[in-house]
Amino acid sequence: MINWNLVNIIRRTLRIGWLKTLFLNFSLLPIKHAWKLPIIVSRYTYIYSLSGKLQISAPVRFGMIRLGFLGEDVVVPKNERALIQLEGHLVCGDNVRLGCGVIIRVEPGAKLILEDNVRIGSKCRIVAYDYIKIGRNTGVSWECQIMDSNMHDITEMSTGRILPQSKRVEIGSNNWIGARVNIMKGCKTPDYTIISSASLCNKVYDIPNYSVIAGTPAKLIKTGYKRTDY
């Protein structure tokens, strides 16, 4: 009988892009940390820019940050290239997992914080123009979009005022974000929030912990629920 867990471990190991892994670590980290290879990337990862700064906020160890591996059960990894464009400031905690086809884009002057045990599913996009924080133990399912900017000027016709393009995004700890959720500028969620699939979140959610929100735009549906494995 085939041991499929072992087969998948071998597959992931063979997908490691060792030259890209070495390049990322020694480009972004001091030598005393880089030689431990805390960042492991898939050979299908596309490195667009590394002119920014990476800060690791936990004790440095091998493979604590992985890009291009999670979500291989819903996509074909070689068909979904992960991309990193780091021109601002990226802060990562321990056990950060970024899936197949994930796009990480941190613009100059922007800050993206991924705390301990953050998991980003396949084909997600995270685009930071100002500030995005994702709290510890938060899971994001596949094909989600998290952006703190609409990237275009919008004019309020009655006053002629040009609205700000960007506004901070803060996702609480122990959140669970369903597939194809759009989290837009100004979104803030408390700890232990569940966001139902295909929702649009674009405001501060002044709601209790252990709440479920859903809809376009998302609103409070019920309270007193959490994901069981937290």
Side-chain angles (χ1 to χ4, degrees):
M1 185 173 180
I2 297 174
N3 184 335
W4 285 106
N5 286 332
L6 178 60
V7 168
N8 287 323
I9 289 171
I10 294 171
R11 284 172 173 168
R12 293 184 198 110
T13 302
L14 293 175
R15 286 211 314 274
I16 294 174
W18 289 108
L19 289 178
K20 292 179 181 179
T21 293
L22 289 168
F23 181 69
L24 255 77
N25 281 279
F26 284 92
S27 294
L28 294 173
L29 298 171
I31 292 176
K32 67 178 181 178
H33 293 156
W35 73 269
K36 296 181 181 180
L37 301 183
I39 311 165
I40 301 293
V41 299
S42 163
R43 58 193 171 99
Y44 304 119
T45 298
Y46 180 65
I47 301 172
Y48 184 90
S49 173
L50 296 177
S51 60
K53 175 185 177 183
L54 172 65
Q55 176 187 346
I56 296 179
S57 59
V60 174
R61 62 178 180 86
F62 175 79
M64 61 190 295
I65 303 163
R66 294 178 181 255
L67 174 60
F69 296 94
L70 185 67
E72 61 192 11
D73 53 343
V74 292
V75 298
V76 178
K78 68 179 180 180
N79 295 339
E80 302 296 342
R81 292 173 67 98
L83 180 147
I84 182 166
Q85 177 185 343
L86 177 55
E87 298 175 346
H89 186 188
L90 172 61
V91 180
C92 286
D94 192 18
N95 194 33
V96 172
R97 299 289 183 263
L98 306 167
C100 305
V102 164
I103 294 175
I104 300 294
R105 179 175 163 191
V106 187
E107 292 291 320
K111 189 171 188 177
L112 170 61
I113 301 174
L114 306 175
E115 293 190 337
D116 294 350
N117 303 314
V118 164
R119 303 172 307 286
I120 307 296
S122 58
K123 299 175 69 173
C124 289
R125 292 175 172 84
I126 302 178
V127 181
Y129 272 74
D130 179 19
Y131 180 93
I132 296 175
K133 178 181 177 182
I134 302 179
R136 67 187 185 279
N137 305 323
T138 287
V140 181
S141 191
W142 58 78
E143 296 184 19
C144 293
Q145 179 173 262
I146 302 173
M147 302 173 60
D148 64 359
S149 175
N150 52 26
M151 294 184 267
H152 299 283
D153 287 329
I154 296 176
T155 301
E156 187 177 54
M157 297 297 292
S158 60
T159 63
R161 182 171 68 98
I162 297 177
L163 303 179
Q165 286 188 13
S166 302
K167 195 171 183 180
R168 293 164 68 106
V169 169
E170 299 182 47
I171 299 170
S173 298
N174 299 285
N175 276 212
W176 174 240
I177 300 171
R180 299 189 176 95
V181 166
N182 280 304
I183 294 180
M184 307 305 291
K185 70 177 188 179
C187 177
K188 184 175 181 179
T189 63
D191 297 343
Y192 294 97
T193 298
I194 298 174
I195 304 176
S196 295
S197 298
S199 296
L200 170 65
C201 305
N202 58 0
K203 66 178 184 179
V204 175
Y205 291 90
D206 187 14
I207 57 178
N209 292 355
Y210 305 104
S211 292
V212 179
I213 60 176
T216 305
K219 62 181 181 180
L220 178 65
I221 301 299
K222 51 191 173 184
T223 61
Y225 291 84
K226 72 168 184 174
R227 183 170 170 168
T228 303
D229 57 355
Y230 288 155

